[in-house]
Amino acid sequence: MEQTIIFDYHFLSGIGCWEGGRYNKQIDMYITIENDEGNQEKLIGKVQFQIIYVDQAMEAGYDLYEIFDQKEHTFKLGQDIFDFEVDDIQEDIKEYYDHDFLQSNICILERIEILSEFRCKKLGAKAIKDIIFHFGSSCGLFVGQVFPLQLEPADNDENVWRKSLELNKFSSDEDISFINLKNYYLSMGFDAIPKYKNLIFLNPLRRNDIMDAINLED
């Protein structure tokens, strides 16, 4: 029976007063294998990312501080990428891309989780390409967080999914782990900008031969 890999996106929105939350969207991608009858057979991966609708938020009267201050880790990341005093992207990032951005909205790639048996099939790279395909026209910058999942504090009651990831197959050496994950993003066409040790960037407006070579039809 023929199998198909599906990228299934989930996020929440609604009517009413969401305040700044409307401009800070958490999105989960579930990667599944389905048979030719459309029935899900297996969950094989997850990608978690956020889109910060900076332009729309500022048009609605919010400033960057308000938008990023809703979550602690988002605020820290916002400080790294944006200058809150001038409500704009940090100057060295702008200079790296010759001030050439489609807009100020950003996509933050937080977690890529792929079952070990599918890690050598470029599935993570194809998932990221699919995200850029769908959201590249609304985001001026994609930012990958370089923090290896295997270095997260161990949980004595880990769930079945986390155990199935077999993170112990990755290096437990902190320096090696960070280098390997950064190289993983670089292999997809992301850019390493000096000073940003734990962040990696992609500007969808710029020509990107590496990302273009990732084939979603294969």
Side-chain angles (χ1 to χ4, degrees):
M1 185 175 290
E2 184 179 350
Q3 292 180 319
T4 304
I5 292 179
I6 299 295
F7 298 137
D8 187 6
Y9 293 88
H10 290 255
F11 67 91
L12 296 176
S13 188
I15 299 171
C17 183
W18 285 57
E19 298 183 343
R22 189 177 297 281
Y23 308 100
N24 190 328
K25 190 67 61 184
Q26 183 77 47
I27 303 177
D28 295 296
M29 170 199 276
Y30 296 96
I31 307 172
T32 62
I33 292 179
E34 295 186 355
N35 59 34
D36 55 6
E37 297 177 348
N39 297 317
Q40 179 178 323
E41 294 188 343
K42 187 175 183 180
L43 176 66
I44 61 175
K46 300 178 185 179
V47 181
Q48 188 176 82
F49 60 102
Q50 274 185 282
I51 294 182
I52 314 295
Y53 293 98
V54 173
D55 291 334
Q56 291 88 336
M58 295 182 69
E59 287 176 8
Y62 294 91
D63 60 33
L64 286 176
Y65 188 96
E66 291 179 277
I67 296 302
F68 284 96
D69 194 37
Q70 296 179 55
K71 300 177 182 177
E72 183 177 349
H73 76 280
T74 306
F75 179 72
K76 175 63 172 65
L77 192 64
Q79 284 182 308
D80 291 336
I81 301 169
F82 287 91
D83 184 339
F84 289 161
E85 292 185 4
V86 298
D87 284 343
D88 203 356
I89 295 172
Q90 294 283 3
E91 187 63 28
D92 51 356
I93 299 177
K94 291 195 296 183
E95 289 179 357
Y96 186 89
Y97 291 113
D98 300 319
H99 295 251
D100 190 18
F101 295 93
L102 183 64
Q103 52 201 325
S104 296
N105 299 343
I106 65 169
C107 176
I108 304 169
L109 301 164
E110 298 178 330
R111 303 175 69 88
I112 304 174
E113 303 176 352
I114 307 292
L115 293 184
S116 60
E117 61 192 282
F118 294 93
R119 286 178 193 147
C120 296
K121 302 181 184 296
K122 298 184 178 180
L123 186 55
K126 291 180 179 180
I128 297 303
K129 172 137 187 184
D130 196 70
I131 291 170
I132 293 171
F133 174 82
H134 287 289
F135 299 98
S137 61
S138 58
C139 294
L141 192 65
F142 287 77
V143 183
Q145 291 182 285
V146 183
F147 186 84
L149 299 181
Q150 69 269 27
L151 299 184
E152 289 181 332
D155 187 344
N156 293 329
D157 188 27
E158 287 190 344
N159 59 37
V160 174
W161 170 254
R162 184 173 174 84
K163 289 180 179 178
S164 68
L165 292 175
E166 298 181 294
L167 297 176
N168 60 306
K169 290 186 176 181
F170 291 110
S171 172
S172 60
D173 181 275
E174 184 171 333
D175 291 336
I176 293 175
S177 298
F178 273 91
I179 290 172
N180 287 344
L181 184 54
K182 178 168 283 191
N183 286 338
Y184 176 67
Y185 276 107
L186 291 173
S187 73
M188 292 188 281
F190 280 74
D191 302 309
I193 299 178
K195 172 183 142 178
Y196 298 92
K197 178 182 177 182
N198 298 328
L199 298 177
I200 202 92
F201 302 86
L202 185 144
N203 183 339
L205 197 59
R206 305 293 289 267
R207 176 171 175 172
N208 194 319
D209 292 336
I210 298 176
M211 181 60 68
D212 289 345
I214 298 172
N215 187 5
L216 290 174
E217 303 295 328
D218 183 10

